[in-house]
Amino acid sequence: MTSTDRPVSARTTRQRRAVSAALVDITGFCSAQEIHEIVKRRGDAVGLSTVYRTLQAMADADEVDVLRTDEGEALYRRCSSGHHHHLVCRDCGRTVEVEGPTVERWADRVAADHGFADVSHTLEIFGRCESCG
Amino acid sequence: MTSTDRPVSARTTRQRRAVSAALVDITGFCSAQEIHEIVKRRGDAVGLSTVYRTLQAMADADEVDVLRTDEGEALYRRCSSGHHHHLVCRDCGRTVEVEGPTVERWADRVAADHGFADVSHTLEIFGRCESCG
DNA sequence: ATCTTCATGACAACGATTCTCATTCCCGAG
DNA sequence: CTCGGGAATGAGAATCGTTGTCATGAAGAT
């Protein structure tokens, strides 16, 4: 077994292109169902299941970011590669990607101080942007 | 209307005492259903609905912290008052409350730099603790 | 063009959470 | 102490996001 078993396939289909295209249109985080709506509104017919599957695949491939509402709903948004966090307007959803090397180091150090290994973290900032002021 | 309308009542019942008691027993974050189980195991009979209601009320009163699994499930844990974050073992759930004044300032500054007001943030650190190493 | 296989979609199923509403019981007024 | 009103409870139904099922459709290799 020299090759790591690839669970993937990544077959290019009309539906996947439609979801990707819809993601380009949005600026903030959207739920799977909202994205399904957007796809429909663009004139592409894609089943809801497929939207869910596609978004999940993209999330696995780090092509979209996922975050959770207070109510537990998953929100998606296309993202730049690499580790980053988000500054999200809680009114209009406008999102700014931010980086914080200081924070990364702080988190790793805190974890190490307590004997924790294999460290990861989640960090999101919420506020109201100027246009929504 | 001189008095701020208090939506609350906080009537002391056997069930609420049972949930609070169960929360004392646990060290990590537990789901509402797990807490329901713990309450039952302790010999107190409390309906699942009531556990949910009680936990929500306690969360509103900042008596418990809530965080969300990747799968969107809500986890609860009794907490100290004041703003703090968590270092959670992703295997056993053991939790350490941590503070990070630096991070707070960083988040506020980043938000301000982008014109965001009324800022809040979420931050959790995950890892594997020594006992689970 | 053909064939193999992955992808799709309508719908059922699932699981966490919330709602409903008849009943229970906390607690302050009398 | 007793009563009465209204909050609290709980069993089960309902909700809602999400995932599973499986027959059909379509990429892409040969």
Side-chain angles (χ1 to χ4, degrees):
Chain A
M1 270 158 245
T2 46
S3 68
T4 59
D5 50 288
R6 310 205 162 280
V8 294
S9 40
R11 190 171 282 186
T12 308
T13 66
R14 177 183 62 77
Q15 290 85 340
R16 289 180 189 180
R17 261 179 271 120
V19 171
S20 292
L23 283 168
V24 173
D25 280 358
I26 66 179
T27 67
F29 279 90
C30 289
S31 70
Q33 315 223 18
E34 285 171 335
I35 290 167
H36 181 228
E37 278 303 314
I38 293 167
V39 167
K40 225 189 301 185
R41 205 169 301 133
R42 288 173 48 94
D44 300 306
V46 179
L48 182 55
S49 306
T50 300
V51 172
Y52 272 105
R53 274 187 299 241
T54 302
L55 288 171
Q56 237 172 284
M58 294 181 81
D60 289 345
D62 284 317
E63 290 168 30
V64 296
D65 287 327
V66 189
L67 63 79
R68 292 265 168 191
T69 316
D70 280 349
E71 294 81 43
E73 191 179 19
L75 303 182
Y76 303 86
R77 178 177 180 276
R78 83 183 198 290
C79 69
S80 64
S81 59
H83 185 72
H84 60 267
H85 300 289
H86 300 104
L87 170 58
V88 185
C89 175
R90 68 167 69 83
D91 285 351
C92 69
R94 186 156 76 84
T95 299
V96 182
E97 295 188 3
V98 298
E99 287 179 57
T102 314
V103 177
E104 317 295 328
R105 273 194 304 269
W106 172 81
D108 287 346
R109 194 170 54 68
V110 166
D113 286 351
H114 289 275
F116 281 61
D118 200 7
V119 181
S120 66
H121 62 261
T122 65
L123 167 59
E124 312 294 341
I125 310 175
F126 300 95
R128 204 168 42 250
C129 77
E130 279 176 313
S131 345
C132 294
Chain B
M1 272 160 241
T2 46
S3 69
T4 58
D5 50 286
R6 308 202 164 285
V8 293
S9 41
R11 190 172 281 187
T12 308
T13 66
R14 175 183 63 76
Q15 290 86 340
R16 289 181 188 178
R17 260 178 272 120
V19 171
S20 292
L23 283 169
V24 173
D25 281 358
I26 66 178
T27 67
F29 279 89
C30 290
S31 70
Q33 315 225 18
E34 285 171 337
I35 290 166
H36 181 229
E37 278 304 313
I38 293 167
V39 167
K40 225 189 299 184
R41 204 169 304 135
R42 288 173 48 95
D44 301 305
V46 179
L48 183 55
S49 306
T50 301
V51 172
Y52 272 106
R53 273 186 299 239
T54 303
L55 288 171
Q56 236 173 283
M58 294 181 79
D60 288 347
D62 285 315
E63 291 167 29
V64 296
D65 287 327
V66 189
L67 63 78
R68 293 265 170 192
T69 317
D70 280 350
E71 293 81 44
E73 191 180 17
L75 303 181
Y76 303 86
R77 178 174 180 277
R78 81 185 199 289
C79 69
S80 65
S81 60
H83 184 72
H84 60 268
H85 300 288
H86 301 104
L87 171 57
V88 185
C89 175
R90 67 167 71 83
D91 285 351
C92 71
R94 187 155 76 84
T95 300
V96 181
E97 295 189 2
V98 298
E99 287 180 56
T102 314
V103 177
E104 317 295 328
R105 273 193 304 271
W106 172 81
D108 288 346
R109 194 170 54 70
V110 166
D113 286 352
H114 288 276
F116 281 62
D118 201 7
V119 181
S120 66
H121 61 263
T122 65
L123 167 59
E124 314 294 342
I125 309 176
F126 301 95
R128 203 167 43 248
C129 77
E130 277 173 314
S131 346
C132 294

